[in-house]
Amino acid sequence: RIIWIHLHKFAGTTMCELAGDQLEVAPGSNCNYASDVCSQSDVRRQVACQARIDSTNFTFSAIERALTDADLNCSDAIYGIILRDPMAAIQATLVQNRFSVVESRRILNSIKQRRRPMIYSEERVNGHHDCLPAWDTYQHVDNFVTRSLGGDYNTRPGDVSEYELNAAKAVLEKMHVVIILEELAEHTV
């Protein structure tokens, strides 16, 4: 079984489509399990690696949220991830998820001030930023990969530490496949 770590706006959808082209069988939209979708923070709805490995329905699935230890403890799984230029990822998230200029400035100011940004009522509507929930904002511009892999996704803006960096590096060492998005054409068969 293949478990793809789908970092938001890091070509996870492309990998899902490529897996289908190779006749891998995947769940639902974007290869995510129905209850374990983009930025899922409710651990009761998350599908850990053992359930993915035990599934006879799927050969490929994606995790598009911050990782937990339960996602990475399956020795029978093949793990993969795409990394990309961080500034390109920030730009893709802010543009494609339709963050306004005002929201973007508020996020950047929150990082400078090391406090979570205000979220106004009109921004709390489901789908305001596509699949991202209203609380999932500054994380995408403040050490997103380290947050996603390092075990403390919601730490305050500006507070990602060397501890989380080292934890993220340890997760990357568990990956069987690491692709750099800007080099994808060189690796695609």
Side-chain angles (χ1 to χ4, degrees):
R1 303 275 187 256
I2 300 169
I3 299 176
W4 196 262
I5 310 308
H6 177 167
L7 297 170
H8 190 68
K9 300 300 175 201
F10 280 61
T13 301
T14 298
M15 292 310 296
C16 179
E17 292 167 357
L18 290 171
D21 292 347
Q22 298 300 313
L23 304 180
E24 296 292 343
V25 180
S29 175
N30 251 356
C31 297
N32 295 324
Y33 273 75
S35 66
D36 194 356
V37 294
C38 174
S39 299
Q40 180 58 259
S41 60
D42 183 347
V43 294
R44 296 167 299 176
R45 296 180 58 89
Q46 294 175 354
V47 180
C49 73
Q50 195 57 56
R52 293 167 188 268
I53 293 297
D54 291 344
S55 170
T56 58
N57 297 324
F58 308 116
T59 59
F60 182 99
S61 65
I63 300 173
E64 191 176 359
R65 59 169 165 73
L67 296 180
T68 67
D69 290 339
D71 295 319
L72 300 167
N73 61 7
C74 290
S75 60
D76 294 343
I78 297 171
Y79 290 98
I81 191 169
I82 290 184
L83 301 176
R84 74 180 298 187
D85 175 90
M87 294 307 291
I90 291 169
Q91 181 179 15
T93 299
L94 295 178
V95 170
Q96 293 172 17
N97 288 107
R98 298 184 304 279
F99 282 85
S100 70
V101 172
V102 171
E103 290 173 301
S104 299
R105 285 186 182 142
R106 192 176 334 123
I107 290 167
L108 293 175
N109 284 332
S110 76
I111 295 167
K112 272 199 295 193
Q113 297 167 1
R114 299 176 91 106
R115 62 173 176 73
R116 289 180 173 82
M118 290 291 299
I119 302 170
Y120 296 98
S121 59
E122 65 272 12
E123 298 164 2
R124 294 183 186 274
V125 178
N126 272 351
H128 179 69
H129 294 299
D130 293 329
C131 73
L132 298 178
W135 57 264
D136 195 3
T137 60
Y138 68 89
Q139 296 91 333
H140 292 267
V141 285
D142 180 28
N143 294 290
F144 176 65
V145 174
T146 302
R147 287 174 176 280
S148 297
L149 305 181
D152 196 2
Y153 188 75
N154 288 318
T155 194
R156 288 184 326 158
D159 281 356
V160 172
S161 70
E162 189 172 348
Y163 176 83
E164 287 89 10
L165 175 62
N166 289 332
K169 288 178 181 179
V171 167
L172 286 173
E173 289 177 5
K174 293 180 180 182
M175 296 295 122
H176 299 94
V177 177
V178 177
I179 298 172
I180 306 302
L181 179 58
E182 290 77 10
E183 300 171 3
L184 183 61
E186 298 170 31
H187 303 290
T188 305
V189 181

